[in-house]
Amino acid sequence: MAGLDDELARLVKPGARVALADGPGTPRILHGPLSRAAAGRGVRLVLGWMPLPAPELDPGAFADVRVLIGGAGTRAMVEAGRAHAVPARLSAVPALLRGPLRPDLLVAAVVQRPDGLRFGAEVGWLRGLVDAGVPMAAVVSSGSPCADAGPPLRDAMVTVIGETGDGPGEVAAPAPTDADMAIAGRIARLVPEGARVQVGPGRLAQAMVSALAVPVRIDSGLLPDPVVDLDAKGLLLDEPIAAYLSGTHRLHDWADGRPILHPVEVTHDMTRLSSPDLPPLIALNSALEIDVEGQVNVEGVGPAAAGMVGGHPDFAAAGVCGRGLSVIATASAHRGRSTLVERLSRPVTTGSHDIDVVVTDRGIADLRGLDRPERRRALLDLWNGEIARVPE
């Protein structure tokens, strides 16, 4: 471990800004050494999507921490005020990282293949940084799948500082609830044969993929475990397009060697997503809260930083702009509290104009072509008038 500490202490300059590769494949073996290399040296840190806990990453070691996407690994530091949550749709992250938040160094894990080094379980915004000339300090992971659809990384951009047998962390979803199953069944009837399907993270998203009963394509930010079942049932058309693998070893084994993972500049490009030359996109997203105007919050309830903006508004906008559909799926209640609220407890993540259909365990509200009073009535009817009101 001392070798990694020494290498990072050499590469991380005082006052530098460092970006840490995100996703389940974030190099956990480097979290502690990076924190130690940064301590007391005015180093600033940029984090993306951290879906798993990161106990070795010490936000107090950095002069400034900026979180662009969120997740379980950053929730505590954001809630404690030890990191700044930057509201940014995922399609805008590359521009932030080329501009005001451009790092001096990227710290990542890579995979060795016969033709060179590649990314493994995530590509996301990483390749854009390397292509823009940001140097990378990397460990070579022998335990990671390689689903990178791009070319090998240029040797001149990568300084290999060690090796690890660690693979990506497993993102396992709990068993679906009865509400999840009811929602997923209704969602399945909205997805036409041959469509492109997008899903977000979490238990409900996995239930929705599992419920699909017609052949589909997956065109998404995240690729979850149930895609393996789709393939086994003959319901997966073409290779999926995604930015991150988000599942267990079962998904990792299936994805290894497949050209699946692309940069955010491809996966979240709304022009491509809404193109009339491609099959229709059915964007399946969830919500923590939806207000009576149809506005959606996925960033947290009250002080709890449960999530961030991510790709939610990108895919929702693409769904309404093309020949597809933007769907919001949510249970009608969470812990006894209605998910339909009088006023969102956080800022709006996705506007009501980018939502076509809302699906709950109680039914479906089709909002297309309705004016605002009609939308309010449709949502109130779907929730049987049950609204969570803001405390006085």
Side-chain angles (χ1 to χ4, degrees):
M1 196 65 68
L4 295 176
D5 280 40
D6 292 343
E7 289 291 336
L8 282 175
R10 178 176 64 86
L11 294 171
V12 176
K13 306 300 183 184
R17 177 178 283 120
V18 177
L20 177 63
D22 61 346
T26 182
R28 300 186 300 279
I29 194 172
L30 296 181
H31 288 186
L34 176 60
S35 299
R36 291 187 288 272
R41 302 174 71 205
V43 175
R44 297 159 293 167
L45 181 65
V46 178
L47 298 172
W49 178 52
M50 304 289 283
L52 298 168
E56 299 299 316
L57 188 63
D58 178 11
F62 300 90
D64 181 81
V65 180
R66 301 278 151 173
V67 178
L68 303 183
I69 306 173
T74 57
R75 178 173 178 174
M77 62 179 78
V78 169
E79 291 180 350
R82 304 179 79 188
H84 302 275
V86 178
R89 59 171 68 220
L90 197 47
S91 61
V93 166
L96 282 174
L97 293 174
R98 288 193 302 268
L101 295 181
R102 181 184 173 94
D104 302 293
L105 182 70
L106 169 64
V107 174
V110 295
V111 178
Q112 181 70 61
R113 284 296 185 259
D115 59 352
L117 296 172
R118 295 175 178 268
F119 291 117
E122 61 284 315
V123 171
W125 43 268
L126 306 181
R127 186 172 288 276
L129 279 185
V130 177
D131 290 346
V134 175
M136 182 186 349
V139 289
V140 176
S141 170
S142 60
S144 175
C146 181
D148 186 352
L153 297 163
R154 289 179 291 148
D155 290 342
M157 298 304 299
V158 185
T159 300
V160 174
I161 61 174
E163 298 181 359
T164 179
D166 290 345
E170 294 194 78
V171 182
T177 65
D178 290 343
D180 294 334
M181 296 301 292
I183 293 167
R186 293 187 172 97
I187 291 287
R189 295 191 287 273
L190 298 175
V191 178
E193 182 174 342
R196 293 175 295 148
V197 174
Q198 172 262 331
V199 292
R203 184 190 67 215
L204 176 54
Q206 297 213 17
M208 291 189 289
V209 176
S210 296
L212 296 173
V214 297
V216 297
R217 298 165 173 86
I218 301 296
D219 197 338
S220 187
L222 309 179
L223 194 71
D225 266 11
V227 170
V228 182
D229 299 317
L230 283 182
D231 190 30
K233 292 185 288 189
L235 297 180
L236 182 63
L237 302 175
D238 306 331
E239 289 286 9
I241 294 175
Y244 299 88
L245 301 182
S246 180
T248 65
H249 282 298
R250 184 165 175 260
L251 175 68
H252 302 161
D253 292 344
W254 177 87
D256 189 29
R258 296 173 180 260
I260 291 170
L261 300 179
H262 301 262
V264 165
E265 291 90 334
V266 173
T267 58
H268 289 67
D269 176 20
M270 286 184 282
T271 299
R272 183 189 70 83
L273 289 170
S274 60
S275 171
D277 298 325
L278 295 175
L281 175 72
I282 311 299
L284 304 178
N285 288 294
S286 59
L288 295 175
E289 299 173 325
I290 182 168
D291 71 12
V292 291
E293 302 296 336
Q295 303 177 121
V296 169
N297 161 32
V298 301
E299 297 176 55
V301 177
M308 286 181 67
V309 176
H312 199 287
D314 295 323
F315 282 101
V320 300
C321 288
R323 296 178 293 112
L325 203 61
S326 172
V327 180
I328 296 298
T330 184
S332 57
H334 178 66
R335 296 180 180 176
R337 180 180 185 266
S338 174
T339 50
L340 183 68
V341 298
E342 182 181 49
R343 186 172 71 245
L344 300 179
S345 60
R346 289 289 187 100
V348 175
T349 306
T350 298
S352 60
H353 50 271
D354 284 334
I355 297 166
D356 291 319
V357 176
V358 176
V359 180
T360 75
D361 46 302
R362 294 179 175 179
I364 296 177
D366 189 338
L367 307 181
R368 290 172 292 180
L370 303 185
D371 67 13
R372 294 198 180 274
E374 290 169 331
R375 283 174 170 242
R376 286 194 292 271
R377 286 195 294 271
L379 291 169
L380 287 167
D381 287 345
L382 180 58
W383 265 267
N384 295 329
E386 297 174 11
I387 309 173
R389 301 190 181 278
V390 177
E392 297 293 336

